[in-house]
Amino acid sequence: MEAFLKQCEQSGDAAYGALRSLLERLEDPITRTAARIFLSDLQKRFASKEESDRCLQIYHFQIQDIYLEQYEGFQRRKKLTMMVIPSIFIPEDWSFTFFEGLNRHPDSIFKDKTVTELGCGNGWISIAIAEKWSPLKILNPNPDAMSKMITENASEEFLHSLSNYCALQGFVEDQFGLGLIARAVEEGISVIKSQGIMIFNMGGRPGQAVCKRLFERRGLRVNKLWQTKVLQAADTDISALVEIEKNSPHRFEFFMGLVGDQPICARSAWAYAKSGGRISHALSVYSCQLRQPTQVKTIFEFLRNGFKDISSSLDLSFEDDFVADEKIPFLSYLASVLKEVSFFPYEPPAGSRRFRSLISGFMRTYHHIPLTADNIVVFPSRTVAIESALRFLSPRLAIVDEQLSRHLPRPWLTSLNIENAESGRKLEEVITVIEAPRQSDLMVELIKKLKPEVVVTGMAQFESVTGSAFEYLLDTTREIGCRLFLDISDHFELSSLPSSNGVLKYLAGTPLPSHAAIICGLLKNQVYSDLEVAFVISEEETIFKTLCKTVELLQGNTAIISQYYYGCLFHELLAFQLADRHPPAQRYGELSKASKVNGLSSSSISVLDHAELSISESDESPLVHMDVDKIFLPMITPVKAAIFESFARQNITESESDVTCGIKQLIYSSYGFSSDNHTEFIYADSPVALFVRLVLCCVQEGGTLCFPTGSNGNYVSAAKFLKANIVNIPTNPNYGFKLTERILTDRLKTVKKPWIYISGPTVNPTGLLYGNEEMQKLLIICANFGARVILDTSFSGVEFNFNDFDAWNLGATMERLSSTNPTFSVCLLGGLSYMMLTSGLEFGFLILNQMSLKDTFHGFAGLSKPHSTIRYTVKKLLDLMEKKTVDLPNAIAEEKQLLASRYKHFKQTLESCGWEVVEAQAGVSIVAKPTFYLGKTIKMPKDSSGIQEVKLDDSNIREAMIKTTGLCINSAAWTGIPGYCRFTIGLEDGDFKRALDCIAKFKSLVDN
């Protein structure tokens, strides 16, 4: 005995060695009896509490009894006898409080369950649980890893260092000393079963709110089982907490002694302790359970795979369960999308096929209306939907509900051409909009008196319950041949128990008449109050197709992530229901037609018919789209991180989503474009929407819009659709179809009030570059003629095939030119999808400097602006660019190298198949002339059935390629360059390989 104690007295390491030897004797059957007798004598040697404490002080170990019950029964009080060895947490107030908290759970919570303990000292709590509640098994987490880390020769100092629970773990809670708890929570989420419970013992020094939020922001419901106070150890230095309070608004929580009930901050506690007072802090036991287990696990699995840096921004704490039920499933879905797909796939401009199918599925399931995806067109907002409808119909007179007219163009609302409308004379190409009250009887009276060609209205709440007001409007507009657009946004509910809606009741029994359409803006989500998507329902095929083409020309696309969000809500309302449980909806009413409905604008229809817009495709035969100005390359990690963080955050401030400083820096570093206090920055969902507004400004000023030959075909078609006066400026093929000084000068001599469109530095679609000197010379000529210049940089930023490019530095030149000719101005149009390769994430910006132009621009309200989450994403990426962090520039450089390789490969394929390729330097577009094919014949399917033999030329080569190979390209009608077609190479790898095969297949078909 004395020799054993003498060895233990030397040090904790020596005591550990002696106790290890004793354990080996206990495990050996030969020496077990003698060892047990020795252990019993050792316990008797230190029987009292005082003797036990002295043993710990002198011999570095302790034999201790812990009583598990308050009261004695016939078997006396239950107790555990344990030996506390060196470097193991000694059972004290912390662990006693923890066990008391566990005791407050019902007995059934542990019975037959698997229990894991983590950081609970010598394990006495698990032994107590096993004795009292009979769990199935108790696990020591990852014993193999522990055995590798803690070797037999580990020193006492090393073992003690493992107990440093304040070590930095890379979480925002590190600042409160809770980083290890945060790490345990997130690792626990990955392994715990869906209905499992995590129980934590936590000191309350950071404050109860901070402790509770640690769990709640990670998607856990929290129940405080027990709380008490413990004295702060006298040798603990809290000066670090005082320093944190000094540099932040946070206040820690201490108490004066064990009876103090008012918290004091760390500074006051430090002063009180220095003066001899005893301070305490709260000690709490929290029971936590995942709010929506499957979705929360999906979110954290995504974060663990390369996105841990954004976990500090995650906030899954909600006061309202309805908000949680919306946001958590969406974040889970977004995490799955960003994890599983490398890019946002091509979606038709009419809206994601999946999203439109979900809308129609909701209508069939909840309202018994037999709609399909081909009855629905998606828009960024209902204002955009209304304006788009009015533009393609071009009525001389329209009556619009006063609540829906406030964002329509100012010229429409101030026009007084009612007399012209009544007499049928069309003196001006201006739509006259008359505002009307939202009440059916007053609206009908106006319709009968004014006889408009289009009516756009909503319904008062009291009229929306039944279908009578709707039928009254239908009948009235039918009688005079007027088209009706009815807005049901205020009465449409995304709910499993939607309230009664008279319009939808009517549509359940009767088809929507050909002269009517339904507009619905999705406004009533619980999480993002300003996130809007709208859709239009039409059962008239002509209207449906025209709306699809109009949204493509005037908007491009509706933000895909907004469609994902509302699609997730629709999916949640449909997913729990059994498929095909309800019989197909039957309509018994007859489709009534107006005797003569005001037709579509002939000029608009002509433009839409001749424009080369997207081609509808079926799920069975997908097309390869080399005819769209989008990039489908793998989405780089910083972009994915920024997108997810923008939606994971709550309460994003205006400054956190203000992109103006970043855009200023971007245009200055990229183009030398300076700004001042008079410069206005305008943002939109896409550059297309901003370009359309500039065209309207040109029309409003009576200007002439000048396009160089070889401009973006969609932009030219949009300008024609908006009835702009257009002039074509020839370009020289010897200079890569770029503008030259002489040709520009000659053309501007014949043009009044010129507006010049220039795509640069990258020319779309040819992929050539304008150097700094070239652009300065062109701007000087424009200034001499007092022209307004639309300088479109939205296709720039991807340079891959150039040497010694003369980068733009236009600041000084533009400042000098603006001072010499006040009518001259440059409107800088831009986007980020090319510059940062944001892969489907659209964002457009416009910089205006001239006051009169700004006033004209704002006269065309209703611009669909990017949501705060998109602005937050863009700001994060711009900040990364400005800080020149390695990840983003390196990722962009790799994508540029990929495009350079793509271009070289595709160019070789085209040339080997008989195409004459224009050498490109940047962008994702290539133009080439089908020299080999012109005049050759090919057999291809007819529109109806059968096969036809066609002689190939400029006008039909696009159709021939689509029908024979499934490859979509743009013809010379789109590029504006006689004989030259356009291809885009920013495709996903699989589609790019298919495109190469299609090129080769087309040649073989022509050869044969």
Side-chain angles (χ1 to χ4, degrees), residues 48-55:
S48 67
K49 185 179 185 307
E50 292 75 15
E51 296 269 332
S52 177
D53 291 342
R54 188 174 68 84
C55 178

Side-chain angles (χ1 to χ4, degrees), residues 10-113:
Q10 294 175 16
S11 68
D13 288 342
Y16 179 79
L19 292 168
R20 181 80 182 176
S21 297
L22 179 58
L23 177 61
E24 291 172 356
R25 290 163 56 198
L26 286 167
E27 291 175 340
D28 188 343
I30 298 174
T31 58
R32 182 177 298 155
T33 301
R36 291 191 66 177
I37 294 172
F38 177 82
L39 192 58
S40 178
D41 291 340
L42 189 63
Q43 182 182 7
K44 292 175 183 175
R45 174 92 175 244
F46 304 102
S48 67
K49 185 179 185 307
E50 292 75 15
E51 296 269 332
S52 177
D53 291 342
R54 188 174 68 84
C55 178
L56 181 63
Q57 293 293 325
I58 298 174
Y59 301 113
H60 305 98
F61 73 91
Q62 183 179 36
I63 298 175
Q64 185 179 13
D65 289 333
I66 296 180
Y67 292 92
L68 304 179
E69 302 286 352
Q70 284 280 5
Y71 305 104
E72 293 189 24
F74 69 93
Q75 293 181 327
R76 305 184 66 184
R77 294 174 69 180
K78 292 183 180 180
K79 70 175 182 179
L80 287 178
T81 299
M82 69 192 72
M83 177 174 286
V84 180
I85 62 175
S87 301
I88 297 297
F89 278 128
I90 299 171
E92 34 70 66
D93 282 346
W94 281 68
S95 58
F96 298 152
T97 300
F98 194 24
F99 186 73
E100 289 166 355
L102 295 175
N103 259 332
R104 303 200 70 176
H105 267 303
D107 293 351
S108 60
I109 198 167
F110 295 110
K111 188 172 179 60
D112 298 327
K113 301 293 194 304

